[in-house]
Amino acid sequence: MGRQDQVRRRRFLQQTAFLASGAALGLSGCGADETDTPLRVLVASYDESVGASIGDQWDDLVKAFEKKHPSIQVTVERVPFGSLDATLARRVEQGKAPDIAQSNLFASFAEKQLLYAASDLFDIATESDFTLSLAQAGRFRRVQYGIPLMASTPRLFYNKALFDQAGIDAPPRTWNELRDTAQALRTSGVPTPYGLQFGPEAAEDELYAWLLAGEGDYATSSGYDFYSDTNVDTLTWLRDNLVTRGLAGQNPAKLNRTDAYEQFLGGRIGMMLAHPVLMDAADSVKLPYAHAAFPARRGGAAIPVGINDWLLAFRQNGRRAACAAFLGFVYGRESAASYGGGRAAALPVTESGADVVAAKGNRLGKFIDQLPRARFQPTAMHSWPEVRQEIRTEIGRAVRRDGDPDTILRSLQAGATRSEATAGS
């Protein structure tokens, strides 16, 4: 289905919902329990690294919401992003769940019936407005519990000055071109031609991008699928064509996303997968850069990786109406467009928000265009936290000079199968 057809279908659904319910976007008529206050919201705080401004807009949102709903006082608590999931799990276990929380995970809460479904919180028009790929990624047993927040999808960023210095006039369109480009960068003196981010911060995202680009995957509707000939071929190519040739830095297994961004900004990485948040940082240091679709192995744009956090609404305190009012405001047309696509460089998670941003000629357009095609990590699987940790620990070993992709992928598959069999039991 083309984008124009998707837009027509969405608008039809929204118009139908409007006629059926008499409600516009946002639950403006859901104020019966607005005196049930305060509404406690738990979100992540960020350090001063690239992307530190991602959570800054909460204060403005809350202020605008309370102006429209003066009987609901919203209390926002921030905890460090690195400890967000552990803090939330501990609060829930102690019987002190917030009303709304940001999280990377939701399956265990949904399994225990601790969450409101999206259909409990939004009218049909608002619910149908979420970008389909995001809505599907937020489902557990075919019901959407994860409400997408701050979506992103990476592209291949490259340093135009380093490309010019190496005599490269275009970004790579195939893996062989990527290898040749990296070799030219290395010959011209670039320390890390391609920043392969297999460090423990977010190795699963770099891995997923390469597997998808190689026509593989590791998540299916029925479970994990790490071990396949296609996936082995991809990691073998990385080992032999980038790592062994010294084109991916000294030790990709230790290169974290944050460090990679800093090295790119310092002119020490020639090209790398990165998110739109890098653009503001690059502009601030006047770095000449551009970005392109990550290449599929044999050419063309690879299937992109989608990344986002979730908002979860907890049942414990019985504040469904207040949660619905707040979330309806957050995901209303004006708020959603402002929150995604602002200076934080997060992408809108609704189709109407994407339309508003696109109409303004925003530089996020190429990233937004990728989002409907994106595939997301299997966060709806109970075992994903354990499996993700195994990826972060093991995947760097697969591509080192003496690495064995076959053995590592077999090990990941066996561990994932065991984790999924025991998770939630």
Side-chain angles (χ1 to χ4, degrees), residues 33 60-61 76 80 117 155 240 249 311 314 317 383 396-397:
D33 295 337
D60 293 337
L61 275 171
V76 176
R155 286 170 64 82
D240 296 344
L311 285 182
F314 285 85
N317 303 310
S383 57
R397 296 174 51 223

Side-chain angles (χ1 to χ4, degrees), residues 78-277:
R78 292 173 169 85
V79 299
F81 179 78
S83 60
L84 176 64
D85 289 331
T87 299
L88 178 59
R90 185 172 61 254
R91 298 275 180 87
V92 172
E93 186 176 353
Q94 293 171 343
K96 300 177 181 178
D99 299 300
I100 296 170
Q102 179 181 347
S103 181
N104 295 292
L105 308 165
F106 61 87
S108 62
F109 301 131
E111 167 74 13
K112 297 173 184 176
Q113 299 183 339
L114 300 178
L115 303 176
Y116 290 114
S119 58
D120 296 325
L121 301 165
F122 301 106
D123 61 36
I124 298 172
T126 307
E127 189 178 357
S128 68
D129 194 31
F130 286 113
T131 299
L132 183 59
S133 60
L134 288 162
Q136 290 175 333
R139 292 175 184 172
F140 178 77
R141 294 178 181 169
R142 301 184 181 180
V143 177
Q144 184 184 350
Y145 294 97
I147 304 165
L149 174 72
M150 297 189 303
S152 185
T153 181
R155 286 170 64 82
L156 183 69
F157 277 68
Y158 57 96
N159 184 316
K160 294 198 295 184
L162 296 180
F163 268 46
D164 289 343
Q165 175 184 302
I168 305 163
D169 57 11
R173 294 162 295 186
T174 67
W175 286 9
N176 285 343
E177 287 186 8
L178 189 149
R179 177 199 59 211
D180 295 344
T181 298
Q183 184 61 63
L185 289 167
R186 180 61 183 267
T187 300
S188 70
V190 178
T192 303
Y194 178 81
L196 183 63
Q197 302 155 63
F198 273 178
E201 181 181 328
E204 69 278 7
D205 295 330
E206 180 85 17
L207 172 63
Y208 204 29
W210 279 97
L211 295 186
L212 292 174
E215 300 181 357
D217 205 330
Y218 60 62
T220 70
S221 58
S222 57
Y224 297 103
D225 189 21
F226 283 97
Y227 184 73
S228 68
D229 290 343
T230 302
N231 289 350
V232 172
D233 286 347
T234 291
L235 292 183
T236 301
W237 190 95
L238 280 172
R239 181 195 65 190
D240 296 344
N241 288 271
L242 292 186
V243 179
T244 299
R245 298 182 183 210
L247 303 180
Q250 292 185 345
N251 191 350
K254 292 186 177 180
L255 183 61
N256 285 324
R257 178 183 293 164
T258 300
D259 296 332
Y261 283 17
E262 291 175 354
Q263 291 181 37
F264 183 82
L265 295 173
R268 299 190 298 279
I269 288 180
M271 55 182 169
M272 58 179 278
L273 268 172
H275 292 271
V277 69

Side-chain angles (χ1 to χ4, degrees), residues 375-387:
R375 291 188 192 170
F376 293 80
Q377 303 287 5
T379 54
M381 299 183 73
H382 288 297
S383 57
W384 175 239
E386 291 78 19
V387 173

Side-chain angles (χ1 to χ4, degrees), residues 271-324:
M271 55 182 169
M272 58 179 278
L273 268 172
H275 292 271
V277 69
L278 185 59
M279 291 191 292
D280 283 347
D283 289 342
S284 70
V285 298
K286 295 180 170 52
L287 182 79
Y289 70 92
H291 54 79
F294 192 68
R297 183 166 190 163
R298 296 173 180 82
I303 296 171
V305 175
I307 298 172
N308 72 284
D309 288 350
W310 307 103
L311 285 182
L312 312 177
F314 285 85
R315 292 178 173 274
Q316 178 180 304
N317 303 310
R319 298 185 178 126
R320 186 200 65 82
C323 288

